[in-house]
Amino acid sequence: MVTFTCPKCGAALPVKPGTQLAVCSFCGTPSYIDRREALFFYILPFAIEETAARGIFKRWTAGPACPKDMEASASVISLKKEYFPVFRFRRTVDGKEQVFSRPARGTLLPGMQNVVIPPGDMLIFDSTAKAGGADVLHPDIAVDNYVPELPGTPIDQSLVYFPIYELKYRYGGMEYDLVIDGSSGRISVTNSPKRSSVSYVAVMVLSFILGFLGVLLGFLI
């Protein structure tokens, strides 16, 4: 909860996110709340449980982009359940509302530079918020670092604790990292094993040769 000041008597005005009008409990003066400068705190609950996250990783290793033996050979080294801090900016750009997100913590984790925060389902992050066994990572970047670069005019801004699974796995003697979005199950990677294109090229070459021989035989006959 963010606290504003009554413009008449100077008393503190605790204001919940989304509130546009607050009435001072001391002097009764109503005040319009300018939310553009205030920083509200939210937490987005996990929609993906740990077992489901492991299943998502397993299905990903069986996908067409991964080596054929990866599903059987890849092994999970660690799986961390975390709340990663992300700044969420709502702004008016060319007459339309746009939402921007930026990491509130320095990181090299894939996907954290362009987090998609779904509308709704966010809860106020206060002393009653439950982390559900996840590690809560705290910000180390100030919101002011991003404000000058953003387009348009501000509507509001908030810090959202975003649910992720940080997964480390081993394949082919190498270790890799990926992030599973704890709200949607989306996987983000920067470096991962790739399926070899040798077999595909061999099939294409063979098809070309067979086609050429077919045309040649047609001329000879």
Side-chain angles (χ1 to χ4, degrees):
M1 184 177 296
V2 177
T3 299
F4 293 83
T5 301
C6 174
K8 183 176 181 179
C9 70
L13 288 176
V15 177
K16 293 182 178 180
T19 301
Q20 295 288 349
L21 190 68
V23 178
C24 179
S25 59
F26 290 91
C27 67
T29 301
S31 300
Y32 173 77
I33 303 303
D34 186 349
R35 299 158 60 205
R36 294 174 297 176
E37 298 292 334
L39 185 64
F40 294 96
F41 288 73
Y42 296 98
I43 188 169
L44 182 64
F46 277 85
I48 307 295
E49 296 300 327
E50 183 173 336
T51 301
R54 291 180 180 273
I56 289 171
F57 169 71
K58 194 70 174 177
R59 289 191 294 274
W60 176 76
T61 61
C66 296
K68 290 184 177 180
D69 66 335
M70 189 168 168
E71 181 182 12
S73 302
S75 59
V76 176
I77 300 173
S78 63
L79 181 65
K80 298 178 182 179
K81 184 179 182 181
E82 300 171 332
Y83 274 112
F84 189 91
V86 176
F87 290 123
R88 176 179 181 266
F89 302 93
R90 286 201 309 141
R91 301 177 73 89
T92 302
V93 182
D94 297 329
K96 297 181 180 180
E97 180 181 317
Q98 292 189 25
V99 178
F100 303 88
S101 64
R102 299 289 187 272
R105 181 182 177 89
T107 183
L108 295 177
L109 288 176
M112 293 297 99
Q113 300 299 323
N114 55 350
V115 168
V116 178
I117 302 174
D121 298 330
M122 292 192 300
L123 304 175
I124 298 172
F125 186 77
D126 55 20
S127 59
T128 65
K130 305 296 183 183
D135 292 331
V136 179
L137 306 180
H138 296 293
D140 58 16
I141 298 177
V143 67
D144 293 341
N145 288 348
Y146 295 119
V147 173
E149 71 179 36
L150 296 172
T153 56
I155 299 174
D156 61 22
Q157 55 192 15
S158 56
L159 177 74
V160 179
Y161 284 97
F162 190 81
I164 66 169
Y165 288 99
E166 183 181 344
L167 188 145
K168 183 183 292 292
Y169 66 95
R170 181 179 290 109
Y171 171 77
M174 299 286 290
E175 294 185 1
Y176 301 89
D177 297 294
L178 61 77
V179 168
I180 301 175
D181 184 329
S183 65
S184 69
R186 183 174 66 95
I187 286 181
S188 297
V189 299
T190 49
N191 182 31
S192 63
K194 298 293 187 291
R195 176 169 292 190
S196 174
S197 61
V198 173
S199 59
Y200 173 78
V201 172
V203 170
M204 293 296 293
V205 171
L206 180 60
S207 298
F208 174 78
I209 293 174
L210 291 176
F212 176 77
L213 290 177
V215 173
L216 183 62
L217 288 174
F219 278 113
L220 293 175
I221 294 174

Coordinates of all heavy atoms in Angstrom, one line a residue, residues 137-212:
L137 N 13.4 -12.6 -4.9 CA 14.6 -11.9 -5.3 C 14.3 -10.4 -5.2 O 13.3 -10.0 -5.8 CB 15.1 -12.3 -6.7 CG 15.3 -13.8 -6.9 CD1 15.7 -14.0 -8.3 CD2 16.3 -14.3 -5.9
H138 N 15.1 -9.6 -4.5 CA 14.8 -8.2 -4.3 C 15.4 -7.3 -5.4 O 16.5 -7.7 -6.0 CB 15.2 -7.8 -2.9 CG 14.4 -8.5 -1.9 ND1 13.1 -8.3 -1.7 CD2 14.8 -9.4 -1.0 CE1 12.7 -9.1 -0.7 NE2 13.7 -9.8 -0.2
P139 N 14.9 -6.2 -5.7 CA 15.4 -5.3 -6.7 C 16.8 -4.7 -6.3 O 17.0 -4.5 -5.2 CB 14.4 -4.2 -6.8 CG 13.1 -4.7 -6.1 CD 13.6 -5.7 -5.1
D140 N 17.6 -4.5 -7.4 CA 18.8 -3.8 -7.1 C 19.0 -2.7 -8.2 O 20.1 -2.1 -8.4 CB 20.0 -4.7 -7.1 CG 20.2 -5.5 -8.3 OD1 19.6 -5.2 -9.4 OD2 21.0 -6.5 -8.3
I141 N 17.9 -2.4 -9.0 CA 17.9 -1.3 -10.0 C 16.8 -0.4 -9.6 O 15.7 -0.8 -9.3 CB 17.7 -1.9 -11.4 CG1 18.8 -2.9 -11.8 CG2 17.6 -0.8 -12.4 CD1 18.7 -3.5 -13.1
A142 N 17.1 0.9 -9.7 CA 16.1 1.9 -9.3 C 15.2 2.2 -10.5 O 15.6 2.1 -11.7 CB 16.8 3.2 -8.9
V143 N 13.9 2.4 -10.2 CA 12.9 2.7 -11.3 C 13.3 3.9 -12.1 O 13.0 3.9 -13.3 CB 11.5 2.8 -10.6 CG1 11.4 4.1 -9.8 CG2 10.4 2.8 -11.7
D144 N 13.9 4.9 -11.5 CA 14.3 6.1 -12.2 C 15.3 5.8 -13.4 O 15.4 6.7 -14.3 CB 15.0 7.1 -11.3 CG 14.0 7.6 -10.2 OD1 12.8 7.5 -10.5 OD2 14.4 8.1 -9.2
N145 N 16.0 4.7 -13.4 CA 16.9 4.3 -14.5 C 16.2 4.1 -15.8 O 16.8 4.3 -16.8 CB 17.7 3.1 -14.1 CG 18.7 3.3 -13.0 OD1 19.0 4.5 -12.7 ND2 19.3 2.3 -12.5
Y146 N 14.9 3.8 -15.7 CA 14.1 3.4 -16.9 C 13.2 4.6 -17.4 O 12.9 4.7 -18.6 CB 13.3 2.2 -16.7 CG 14.1 0.9 -16.5 CD1 14.0 0.2 -15.3 CD2 15.0 0.5 -17.5 CE1 14.7 -0.9 -15.1 CE2 15.7 -0.7 -17.3 CZ 15.6 -1.4 -16.1 OH 16.3 -2.5 -15.9
V147 N 12.7 5.4 -16.5 CA 11.7 6.4 -16.8 C 12.1 7.3 -18.0 O 11.3 7.5 -18.9 CB 11.3 7.2 -15.6 CG1 10.4 8.3 -15.9 CG2 10.6 6.3 -14.5
P148 N 13.3 7.8 -18.0 CA 13.6 8.8 -19.1 C 13.6 8.2 -20.5 O 13.3 8.9 -21.4 CB 15.1 9.2 -18.7 CG 15.2 9.0 -17.3 CD 14.4 7.7 -17.0
E149 N 13.8 6.9 -20.6 CA 13.8 6.3 -21.9 C 12.4 5.8 -22.5 O 12.3 5.5 -23.6 CB 14.7 5.0 -21.9 CG 14.1 3.9 -21.1 CD 15.0 2.6 -21.1 OE1 16.2 2.8 -21.0 OE2 14.4 1.5 -21.2
L150 N 11.4 5.9 -21.6 CA 10.1 5.4 -22.0 C 9.3 6.4 -22.8 O 9.4 7.6 -22.4 CB 9.3 5.0 -20.7 CG 9.9 3.8 -19.9 CD1 9.1 3.6 -18.6 CD2 9.8 2.5 -20.7
P151 N 8.6 6.0 -23.8 CA 7.8 6.9 -24.6 C 6.5 7.3 -23.9 O 6.1 6.6 -23.0 CB 7.6 6.2 -25.9 CG 7.5 4.7 -25.5 CD 8.5 4.6 -24.4
G152 N 5.8 8.3 -24.4 CA 4.5 8.7 -24.0 C 4.5 9.3 -22.6 O 5.5 9.7 -22.0
T153 N 3.3 9.4 -22.0 CA 3.0 10.0 -20.7 C 2.6 8.9 -19.7 O 1.9 8.0 -20.1 CB 1.9 11.1 -20.7 OG1 0.7 10.5 -21.3 CG2 2.4 12.2 -21.6
P154 N 3.0 8.9 -18.5 CA 2.7 7.9 -17.5 C 1.3 7.8 -17.1 O 0.6 8.8 -16.9 CB 3.7 8.2 -16.3 CG 3.9 9.7 -16.4 CD 3.9 10.0 -17.9
I155 N 0.8 6.6 -16.9 CA -0.5 6.3 -16.2 C -0.3 5.9 -14.8 O -0.8 6.4 -13.9 CB -1.3 5.3 -17.0 CG1 -1.6 5.8 -18.4 CG2 -2.6 5.0 -16.3 CD1 -2.2 4.7 -19.3
D156 N 0.5 4.8 -14.7 CA 1.0 4.3 -13.4 C 2.2 3.4 -13.6 O 2.6 3.1 -14.7 CB -0.1 3.6 -12.6 CG -0.6 2.4 -13.3 OD1 0.1 1.8 -14.1 OD2 -1.8 2.0 -13.0
Q157 N 2.8 3.1 -12.5 CA 4.0 2.2 -12.5 C 4.0 1.3 -11.3 O 3.5 1.7 -10.2 CB 5.3 3.1 -12.6 CG 5.4 4.1 -11.4 CD 6.6 5.0 -11.7 OE1 7.1 5.2 -12.8 NE2 7.0 5.8 -10.7
S158 N 4.6 0.2 -11.4 CA 4.5 -0.8 -10.3 C 5.7 -1.7 -10.4 O 6.3 -1.9 -11.4 CB 3.2 -1.6 -10.3 OG 3.0 -2.2 -11.6
L159 N 6.0 -2.3 -9.2 CA 7.0 -3.4 -9.2 C 6.2 -4.7 -9.0 O 5.4 -4.9 -8.1 CB 7.9 -3.2 -8.0 CG 8.9 -4.3 -7.8 CD1 10.0 -4.2 -8.8 CD2 9.6 -4.2 -6.4
V160 N 6.4 -5.6 -9.9 CA 5.7 -6.9 -9.9 C 6.7 -8.0 -9.6 O 7.7 -8.2 -10.3 CB 5.0 -7.2 -11.2 CG1 4.3 -8.5 -11.2 CG2 4.0 -6.0 -11.6
Y161 N 6.4 -8.8 -8.6 CA 7.2 -10.0 -8.4 C 6.7 -11.1 -9.3 O 5.6 -11.6 -9.0 CB 7.2 -10.4 -6.9 CG 8.0 -9.5 -6.0 CD1 7.5 -8.4 -5.3 CD2 9.4 -9.7 -6.0 CE1 8.3 -7.6 -4.6 CE2 10.2 -8.8 -5.2 CZ 9.6 -7.8 -4.5 OH 10.4 -6.9 -3.8
F162 N 7.5 -11.5 -10.3 CA 7.0 -12.3 -11.3 C 7.5 -13.8 -11.1 O 8.7 -14.0 -10.8 CB 7.6 -11.8 -12.7 CG 7.0 -12.5 -13.9 CD1 5.8 -12.1 -14.4 CD2 7.7 -13.5 -14.5 CE1 5.3 -12.7 -15.5 CE2 7.2 -14.1 -15.6 CZ 6.0 -13.7 -16.1
P163 N 6.6 -14.8 -11.3 CA 7.0 -16.2 -10.9 C 7.8 -16.8 -12.1 O 7.4 -16.8 -13.2 CB 5.6 -16.8 -10.8 CG 4.7 -16.1 -11.7 CD 5.2 -14.7 -11.7
I164 N 8.9 -17.4 -11.7 CA 9.7 -18.1 -12.7 C 10.3 -19.4 -12.1 O 10.4 -19.5 -10.9 CB 10.9 -17.3 -13.2 CG1 11.9 -17.0 -12.1 CG2 10.4 -16.0 -13.9 CD1 13.2 -16.4 -12.6
Y165 N 10.7 -20.3 -12.9 CA 11.5 -21.5 -12.6 C 12.8 -21.3 -13.3 O 12.9 -21.3 -14.5 CB 10.9 -22.8 -13.0 CG 9.7 -23.2 -12.1 CD1 8.4 -22.9 -12.6 CD2 9.8 -23.7 -10.9 CE1 7.3 -23.2 -11.8 CE2 8.7 -24.1 -10.1 CZ 7.4 -23.8 -10.6 OH 6.3 -24.1 -9.8
E166 N 13.9 -21.2 -12.5 CA 15.3 -21.2 -13.1 C 15.8 -22.6 -13.1 O 16.1 -23.2 -12.1 CB 16.1 -20.3 -12.3 CG 17.5 -20.1 -12.8 CD 18.4 -19.2 -11.9 OE1 17.8 -18.5 -11.0 OE2 19.6 -19.2 -12.1
L167 N 15.9 -23.1 -14.4 CA 16.3 -24.6 -14.5 C 17.7 -24.7 -15.1 O 18.0 -24.0 -16.1 CB 15.3 -25.3 -15.4 CG 15.4 -26.8 -15.5 CD1 14.0 -27.5 -15.5 CD2 16.2 -27.2 -16.7
K168 N 18.5 -25.5 -14.6 CA 19.8 -25.8 -15.1 C 19.9 -27.3 -15.4 O 19.4 -28.1 -14.7 CB 20.9 -25.5 -14.1 CG 22.4 -25.7 -14.6 CD 23.4 -25.4 -13.5 CE 23.4 -23.9 -13.2 NZ 24.0 -23.1 -14.3
Y169 N 20.4 -27.6 -16.7 CA 20.4 -29.0 -17.1 C 21.7 -29.3 -17.8 O 22.4 -28.5 -18.2 CB 19.2 -29.3 -18.0 CG 19.2 -28.6 -19.3 CD1 19.7 -29.3 -20.5 CD2 18.7 -27.3 -19.5 CE1 19.7 -28.6 -21.7 CE2 18.7 -26.7 -20.7 CZ 19.2 -27.3 -21.8 OH 19.2 -26.7 -23.0
R170 N 22.0 -30.6 -17.9 CA 23.2 -31.1 -18.5 C 22.8 -32.0 -19.7 O 22.0 -32.8 -19.7 CB 24.0 -31.9 -17.6 CG 25.4 -32.4 -18.2 CD 26.2 -33.2 -17.1 NE 26.7 -32.4 -16.1 CZ 26.3 -32.4 -14.8 NH1 25.3 -33.2 -14.5 NH2 26.9 -31.6 -13.9
Y171 N 23.6 -31.7 -20.8 CA 23.4 -32.5 -22.0 C 24.7 -32.5 -22.8 O 25.3 -31.5 -23.0 CB 22.3 -32.0 -22.9 CG 22.2 -32.7 -24.3 CD1 21.7 -33.9 -24.4 CD2 22.7 -32.0 -25.4 CE1 21.6 -34.6 -25.7 CE2 22.7 -32.7 -26.6 CZ 22.2 -33.9 -26.8 OH 22.1 -34.5 -28.0
G172 N 25.1 -33.7 -23.2 CA 26.4 -33.9 -24.0 C 27.6 -33.3 -23.3 O 28.5 -32.8 -24.0
G173 N 27.6 -33.4 -22.0 CA 28.8 -33.0 -21.2 C 28.8 -31.5 -21.0 O 29.8 -30.9 -20.4
M174 N 27.8 -30.7 -21.4 CA 27.7 -29.3 -21.3 C 26.5 -29.0 -20.3 O 25.5 -29.7 -20.2 CB 27.5 -28.6 -22.6 CG 28.6 -28.8 -23.6 SD 30.1 -27.9 -23.2 CE 29.5 -26.2 -23.5
E175 N 26.6 -27.8 -19.7 CA 25.5 -27.3 -18.8 C 24.8 -26.1 -19.5 O 25.5 -25.3 -20.1 CB 26.0 -27.0 -17.4 CG 26.5 -28.2 -16.6 CD 26.9 -27.8 -15.2 OE1 26.8 -26.6 -14.8 OE2 27.4 -28.7 -14.5
Y176 N 23.5 -26.1 -19.4 CA 22.7 -25.0 -20.0 C 21.7 -24.5 -19.0 O 21.3 -25.2 -18.0 CB 22.0 -25.5 -21.2 CG 22.9 -26.1 -22.3 CD1 23.2 -27.5 -22.3 CD2 23.3 -25.3 -23.3 CE1 24.0 -28.0 -23.3 CE2 24.2 -25.8 -24.3 CZ 24.5 -27.2 -24.3 OH 25.3 -27.7 -25.3
D177 N 21.2 -23.3 -19.2 CA 20.2 -22.6 -18.4 C 19.0 -22.3 -19.2 O 19.1 -21.9 -20.4 CB 20.7 -21.4 -17.7 CG 21.9 -21.6 -16.8 OD1 21.7 -22.3 -15.8 OD2 23.0 -21.2 -17.1
L178 N 17.8 -22.4 -18.6 CA 16.6 -21.8 -19.2 C 15.7 -21.4 -18.1 O 15.9 -21.7 -17.0 CB 16.0 -22.9 -20.1 CG 15.5 -24.2 -19.6 CD1 14.1 -24.1 -18.8 CD2 15.2 -25.2 -20.7
V179 N 14.7 -20.6 -18.5 CA 13.7 -20.1 -17.6 C 12.3 -20.5 -18.0 O 12.0 -20.4 -19.2 CB 13.8 -18.5 -17.5 CG1 12.6 -18.0 -16.8 CG2 15.1 -18.1 -16.8
I180 N 11.5 -21.0 -17.1 CA 10.1 -21.3 -17.4 C 9.3 -20.3 -16.7 O 9.4 -20.1 -15.5 CB 9.8 -22.7 -16.9 CG1 10.7 -23.8 -17.5 CG2 8.3 -23.1 -17.1 CD1 10.5 -25.2 -17.0
D181 N 8.4 -19.6 -17.5 CA 7.5 -18.7 -16.9 C 6.5 -19.4 -16.0 O 5.8 -20.3 -16.4 CB 6.7 -18.0 -18.1 CG 5.8 -16.9 -17.7 OD1 5.2 -17.0 -16.6 OD2 5.5 -16.0 -18.5
G182 N 6.4 -19.0 -14.8 CA 5.6 -19.7 -13.8 C 4.1 -19.3 -13.9 O 3.3 -19.9 -13.2
S183 N 3.8 -18.4 -14.8 CA 2.4 -18.0 -15.0 C 1.8 -18.6 -16.3 O 0.6 -18.9 -16.3 CB 2.2 -16.5 -15.1 OG 2.9 -16.0 -16.2
S184 N 2.6 -18.8 -17.3 CA 2.2 -19.3 -18.6 C 2.8 -20.6 -19.0 O 2.3 -21.3 -19.9 CB 2.4 -18.3 -19.7 OG 3.7 -18.1 -19.9
G185 N 4.0 -21.0 -18.5 CA 4.7 -22.1 -18.9 C 5.7 -21.9 -20.1 O 6.3 -22.8 -20.6
R186 N 5.7 -20.6 -20.5 CA 6.6 -20.3 -21.7 C 8.1 -20.5 -21.3 O 8.5 -20.1 -20.2 CB 6.3 -18.9 -22.1 CG 7.1 -18.5 -23.4 CD 6.7 -17.1 -23.8 NE 7.1 -16.1 -22.9 CZ 8.2 -15.3 -22.9 NH1 9.0 -15.5 -23.9 NH2 8.4 -14.4 -22.0
I187 N 8.8 -21.1 -22.2 CA 10.3 -21.3 -22.0 C 11.1 -20.3 -22.7 O 10.8 -19.9 -23.9 CB 10.7 -22.7 -22.5 CG1 10.2 -23.8 -21.5 CG2 12.2 -22.8 -22.6 CD1 10.6 -25.2 -21.9
S188 N 12.1 -19.7 -22.0 CA 13.0 -18.8 -22.6 C 14.4 -19.3 -22.5 O 14.9 -19.8 -21.4 CB 13.0 -17.4 -21.9 OG 11.7 -16.8 -22.0
V189 N 15.2 -19.3 -23.6 CA 16.6 -19.8 -23.6 C 17.4 -18.8 -24.4 O 17.0 -18.0 -25.2 CB 16.6 -21.2 -24.3 CG1 15.8 -22.2 -23.6 CG2 16.2 -21.1 -25.8
T190 N 18.7 -18.8 -24.1 CA 19.7 -18.0 -24.8 C 20.6 -19.0 -25.6 O 20.9 -18.8 -26.8 CB 20.5 -17.1 -23.9 OG1 21.0 -17.9 -22.8 CG2 19.7 -16.0 -23.3
N191 N 21.1 -20.0 -25.0 CA 22.0 -21.0 -25.6 C 21.5 -22.4 -25.3 O 21.3 -22.7 -24.1 CB 23.4 -20.8 -25.1 CG 24.4 -21.7 -25.8 OD1 24.2 -22.1 -27.0 ND2 25.4 -22.1 -25.1
S192 N 21.2 -23.2 -26.3 CA 20.7 -24.5 -26.1 C 21.2 -25.4 -27.2 O 21.6 -25.0 -28.3 CB 19.2 -24.5 -26.0 OG 18.7 -24.1 -27.3
P193 N 21.3 -26.7 -27.0 CA 21.7 -27.7 -28.0 C 20.7 -27.6 -29.2 O 19.5 -27.5 -29.0 CB 21.6 -29.0 -27.3 CG 21.6 -28.7 -25.8 CD 20.9 -27.4 -25.7
K194 N 21.3 -27.7 -30.4 CA 20.5 -27.6 -31.6 C 20.5 -29.0 -32.3 O 21.5 -29.7 -32.3 CB 21.0 -26.5 -32.5 CG 20.9 -25.1 -32.0 CD 19.5 -24.7 -31.8 CE 19.4 -23.2 -31.3 NZ 19.9 -23.0 -30.0
R195 N 19.4 -29.3 -33.0 CA 19.3 -30.5 -33.7 C 20.2 -30.4 -35.0 O 20.2 -29.4 -35.7 CB 17.9 -30.8 -34.2 CG 17.8 -32.0 -35.1 CD 16.3 -32.5 -35.3 NE 15.8 -33.0 -34.0 CZ 14.6 -33.6 -34.0 NH1 13.9 -33.8 -35.0 NH2 14.1 -34.0 -32.8
S196 N 21.0 -31.4 -35.3 CA 21.9 -31.4 -36.4 C 21.1 -31.4 -37.7 O 20.1 -32.0 -37.8 CB 22.8 -32.6 -36.4 OG 23.6 -32.7 -37.6
S197 N 21.6 -30.6 -38.7 CA 21.0 -30.5 -40.0 C 21.6 -31.4 -41.0 O 21.2 -31.4 -42.1 CB 21.0 -29.0 -40.5 OG 22.4 -28.7 -40.6
V198 N 22.5 -32.3 -40.5 CA 23.2 -33.2 -41.5 C 22.3 -34.1 -42.1 O 22.3 -34.3 -43.3 CB 24.4 -33.9 -40.8 CG1 25.0 -35.0 -41.7 CG2 25.4 -33.0 -40.3
S199 N 21.4 -34.8 -41.3 CA 20.5 -35.7 -41.9 C 19.5 -35.1 -42.8 O 19.2 -35.7 -43.9 CB 19.7 -36.4 -40.7 OG 19.0 -35.5 -40.0
Y200 N 19.1 -33.9 -42.5 CA 18.1 -33.2 -43.4 C 18.8 -32.9 -44.7 O 18.2 -33.1 -45.8 CB 17.7 -31.9 -42.7 CG 16.8 -31.0 -43.6 CD1 15.5 -31.3 -43.9 CD2 17.4 -29.9 -44.2 CE1 14.7 -30.5 -44.7 CE2 16.6 -29.1 -45.1 CZ 15.3 -29.4 -45.3 OH 14.5 -28.6 -46.1
V201 N 20.0 -32.4 -44.7 CA 20.8 -32.1 -45.9 C 21.0 -33.3 -46.7 O 20.9 -33.3 -48.0 CB 22.1 -31.4 -45.6 CG1 23.0 -31.3 -46.8 CG2 21.9 -30.1 -44.9
A202 N 21.3 -34.5 -46.0 CA 21.5 -35.7 -46.8 C 20.3 -36.2 -47.5 O 20.4 -36.6 -48.7 CB 22.0 -36.8 -45.8
V203 N 19.1 -36.0 -46.9 CA 17.9 -36.4 -47.5 C 17.6 -35.5 -48.7 O 17.2 -36.0 -49.8 CB 16.7 -36.3 -46.5 CG1 15.4 -36.4 -47.2 CG2 16.8 -37.3 -45.4
M204 N 17.9 -34.2 -48.6 CA 17.7 -33.3 -49.7 C 18.6 -33.6 -50.9 O 18.2 -33.6 -52.0 CB 17.9 -31.8 -49.3 CG 16.9 -31.3 -48.2 SD 15.3 -31.2 -48.9 CE 15.5 -29.9 -50.2
V205 N 19.9 -33.9 -50.6 CA 20.8 -34.3 -51.6 C 20.4 -35.6 -52.3 O 20.4 -35.7 -53.6 CB 22.2 -34.4 -51.1 CG1 23.2 -35.0 -52.1 CG2 22.8 -33.1 -50.6
L206 N 20.0 -36.6 -51.5 CA 19.5 -37.8 -52.1 C 18.3 -37.6 -53.0 O 18.2 -38.2 -54.1 CB 19.2 -38.8 -51.0 CG 18.7 -40.2 -51.4 CD1 19.8 -40.9 -52.3 CD2 18.4 -41.1 -50.2
S207 N 17.4 -36.8 -52.6 CA 16.2 -36.5 -53.3 C 16.5 -35.8 -54.7 O 16.0 -36.1 -55.7 CB 15.2 -35.6 -52.5 OG 14.8 -36.3 -51.4
F208 N 17.5 -34.9 -54.6 CA 18.0 -34.2 -55.8 C 18.6 -35.2 -56.8 O 18.3 -35.2 -58.0 CB 18.9 -33.1 -55.4 CG 19.6 -32.4 -56.6 CD1 18.8 -31.5 -57.4 CD2 20.8 -32.8 -57.1 CE1 19.4 -30.9 -58.5 CE2 21.4 -32.2 -58.2 CZ 20.7 -31.2 -58.9
I209 N 19.4 -36.1 -56.3 CA 20.1 -37.1 -57.1 C 19.1 -38.0 -57.8 O 19.2 -38.3 -59.0 CB 21.1 -37.9 -56.3 CG1 22.3 -37.0 -55.9 CG2 21.7 -39.1 -57.1 CD1 23.3 -37.7 -55.0
L210 N 18.1 -38.5 -57.0 CA 17.1 -39.4 -57.5 C 16.3 -38.7 -58.6 O 15.9 -39.3 -59.6 CB 16.2 -39.9 -56.4 CG 16.9 -40.9 -55.4 CD1 16.0 -41.3 -54.3 CD2 17.4 -42.2 -56.1
G211 N 16.0 -37.4 -58.3 CA 15.2 -36.7 -59.3 C 16.0 -36.5 -60.6 O 15.4 -36.6 -61.7
F212 N 17.3 -36.2 -60.4 CA 18.1 -36.0 -61.6 C 18.2 -37.2 -62.4 O 18.1 -37.2 -63.7 CB 19.5 -35.5 -61.2 CG 20.4 -35.3 -62.3 CD1 20.4 -34.2 -63.2 CD2 21.4 -36.3 -62.6 CE1 21.3 -34.1 -64.2 CE2 22.3 -36.1 -63.6 CZ 22.2 -35.0 -64.4

